[in-house]
Amino acid sequence: MNARLRRLPITSLAAGWLAASALMQPLPGAAQAVEPLPAPEPSVPALPAPPVEEDAPSAPSVAPAAPPASAQAASRGPASVADLAESLLDAVVNISTSQTVDRPGGGIPELEAPEGSPLQDFFDDLLRGDDGVGDRRVQSLGSGFVVDPSGVVITNNHVIADADTITVNFADGTRLDAELLGTDPKTDLAVLKVNPPEPLPAVEFGDSEALRIGDWVMAIGNPFGLGGSVSVGIVSARGRNINAGPYDNFIQTDAAINRGNSGGPLFDMNGRVVGINTAIISPTGGSIGIGFSIPAQLAVNVVDQLREFGETRRGWLGIRLQAVTDDIAEGLGIPEAKGAVVMGIVPGGPSDNGLLKVGDVIVRFNGQEIESSRDLPRIVAETPVGDTVTVELLRKEDTAAPAQPLSVEVTLGRLEDGEKLMAESEAASEPAANADAADDEAVSSASVVTLGLTLSAIDAPLRGQYGLGDDVEGVVITQVEPNSSAAEKGIEAGAVIREVAQEEVSEPQEVADKIAKLKADGRRNALLLLASASGDLRFVVVPID
């Protein structure tokens, strides 16, 4: 994560009070007498009216219309959120955790007293610490909120990660030990369970999709360990990708969010949870008005699964994707740079049925528009496992014709099972270096240079040199000319060209001939399909010099 982008740090109560007390120091010179306000500046005379020709007709005088009362109220923001905050504060809780950290001797070298000295027992106790085992307890604080009166509490995964004990602290001073029902590091969510003697005040999730930029929101949490604190702001942006995880779709807000707010709720003005505060951008660790919340739409599905199964069960399509850039869109013959281009089919996955192909551009999934390759994994993950969905795509069957729309149906698998399958497949397919590869009968053909690339046919020595799997086919790149367009596109030696302009190639001269034909046809770019040593595919558009 970017150094300037932080998950909300969780601090100990003592550290929180120290930070807060430092912030509350009086300003220099606060004890001095208050200086009177300066006298008002003399008013500036009005500008003279421009001359008016005698023959010119005079325009009627029109007073500006006053905005409607609703618009005037909206421009000033909510008159007060006191009633709303009062009704919600009891459902927002503090989360405290402790963790045992092994620190034998606390870093102090072993101390030995003379044989028989009574000081030896003192030295042993000193090094063991209070619990007598040489460990120490690390405490931290975060926030959370109750979503079920029976005692279900939501917070961030990073608030309770690696904790040995978790305690939920309520506004009335009640402290209850919590059981961890489940966590999801990919969305940074955790679900806890406490057993209260009577039903707890709880809040409901709202519709985060209904939020608009500029809507008022309210954050409640535990900044700097001070206890329940309310701040108000607006929705600054939606759909933010901060590279925190694979399903980033954050709500950005300028409501003050600081250390200890992690896991706390972001409310709309109806008192419903529309987000879970989880990260800020700050050079100092304090709020500068750029905070990020997990949207309720994403959180609800994860929370329900963690409550029911103790784990997530996400939908899985079983494909590898790449973003559609303007150059790739032009090379694939699609009208605009939207959707997600299929770059690989996972063997044994839900899409391994011949319906989807490399180069297909998915534009709709189960009725939802796919704007970019970042949208598709999140939408698929939110779809129930086992559902049969319609995938709408664009496919270019003929290099001379534009891409044509097509629909296929796929029954989704489970992502967690797919991740295990892919890990096992990658481990099994790792090529072993063969020291005797030079004895193979395969003979390398002559090299060809085009687009600043030196190309060779794949033979046994080159497979061994670049670690290419036995199933990797195409033309291997053995050298990339520095400062060439290909080098600027990140192409490196060892990559394999599988296709040129969506036509398969197997010999270096084929690549050169196809590049020459593209140039003769007036094409300015060549669309190359490259494979890595492990077989992962990607499209690269290289200018034709």
Side-chain angles (χ1 to χ4, degrees), residues 176-257:
L176 296 175
D177 289 337
E179 172 193 359
L180 181 61
L181 295 184
T183 65
D184 179 35
K186 290 180 179 177
T187 55
D188 196 20
L189 290 172
V191 179
L192 311 176
K193 180 69 171 66
V194 296
N195 296 311
E198 56 186 28
L200 299 172
V203 292
E204 298 178 353
F205 280 107
D207 183 6
S208 57
E209 290 301 292
L211 282 179
R212 300 170 60 200
I213 295 173
D215 279 348
W216 289 95
V217 287
M218 180 173 63
I220 303 181
N222 178 40
F224 298 107
L226 294 172
S229 181
V230 177
S231 59
V232 177
I234 64 169
V235 174
S236 303
R238 293 184 50 193
R240 288 298 198 206
N241 177 17
I242 60 175
N243 296 316
Y247 308 120
D248 281 16
N249 188 33
F250 288 99
I251 300 166
Q252 180 183 328
T253 178
D254 67 352
I257 298 174

Side-chain angles (χ1 to χ4, degrees), residues 91-164:
V92 181
V93 298
N94 298 340
I95 308 291
S96 62
T97 67
S98 63
Q99 176 186 0
T100 303
V101 177
D102 187 13
R103 190 183 63 173
I108 303 174
E110 183 176 357
L111 302 177
E112 293 186 1
E115 185 175 353
S117 171
L119 291 177
Q120 188 62 52
D121 291 338
F122 170 75
F123 289 157
D124 292 341
D125 292 340
L126 176 65
L127 295 182
R128 279 197 302 267
D130 294 338
D131 53 10
V133 294
D135 297 340
R136 65 186 178 95
R137 308 290 289 182
V138 176
Q139 294 186 329
S140 61
L141 285 175
S143 302
F145 56 98
V146 181
V147 294
D148 190 311
S150 66
V152 178
V153 178
I154 309 302
T155 187
N156 279 146
N157 175 63
H158 77 262
V159 169
I160 53 83
D162 302 321
D164 295 322

Side-chain angles (χ1 to χ4, degrees), residues 316-319 345-346 348-353 409-414 421:
W316 181 51
L317 198 53
I319 59 177
I345 310 294
V346 177
S351 298
D352 189 18
N353 52 13
E409 289 190 346
V410 179
T411 300
L412 297 185
R414 183 185 174 198
L421 176 66

Side-chain angles (χ1 to χ4, degrees), residues 42-77:
S43 59
V44 179
L47 294 174
V52 179
E53 296 183 8
E54 294 181 0
D55 297 336
S58 59
S61 176
V62 179
S70 59
Q72 295 180 48
S75 65
R76 292 193 298 269

Side-chain angles (χ1 to χ4, degrees), residues 282-441:
S282 173
T284 63
S287 173
I288 61 169
I290 305 178
F292 300 98
S293 302
I294 303 165
Q297 185 191 38
L298 177 61
V300 166
N301 189 41
V302 174
V303 168
D304 288 345
Q305 291 181 12
L306 294 179
R307 290 181 65 178
E308 183 176 357
F309 308 114
E311 60 183 2
T312 55
R313 298 186 178 184
R314 293 186 169 95
W316 181 51
L317 198 53
I319 59 177
R320 296 184 177 91
L321 302 173
Q322 182 176 346
V324 181
T325 64
D326 290 334
D327 289 340
I328 290 177
E330 181 182 354
L332 293 175
I334 60 177
E336 54 185 335
K338 292 178 60 176
V341 58
V342 177
M343 298 310 305
I345 310 294
V346 177
S351 298
D352 189 18
N353 52 13
L355 297 179
L356 288 174
K357 299 180 180 179
V358 172
D360 287 347
V361 178
I362 298 176
V363 292
R364 290 177 67 89
F365 175 86
N366 209 25
Q368 298 187 60
E369 294 281 350
I370 304 300
E371 293 291 332
S372 71
S373 59
R374 187 168 61 90
D375 295 334
L376 185 59
R378 174 176 53 82
I379 295 173
V380 173
E382 293 172 352
T383 307
V385 176
D387 278 11
T388 299
V389 298
T390 300
V391 180
E392 298 176 43
L393 51 92
L394 297 173
R395 176 178 295 169
K396 191 172 184 180
E397 299 280 9
D398 186 349
T399 57
Q404 299 297 319
L406 183 68
S407 294
V408 299
E409 289 190 346
V410 179
T411 300
L412 297 185
R414 183 185 174 198
L415 176 62
E416 291 74 14
D417 295 338
E419 290 174 336
K420 294 178 183 177
L421 176 66
M422 288 186 291
E424 293 171 357
S425 175
E426 289 175 2
S429 63
E430 287 183 358
N434 185 358
D436 299 324
D439 296 333
D440 197 280
E441 295 180 359

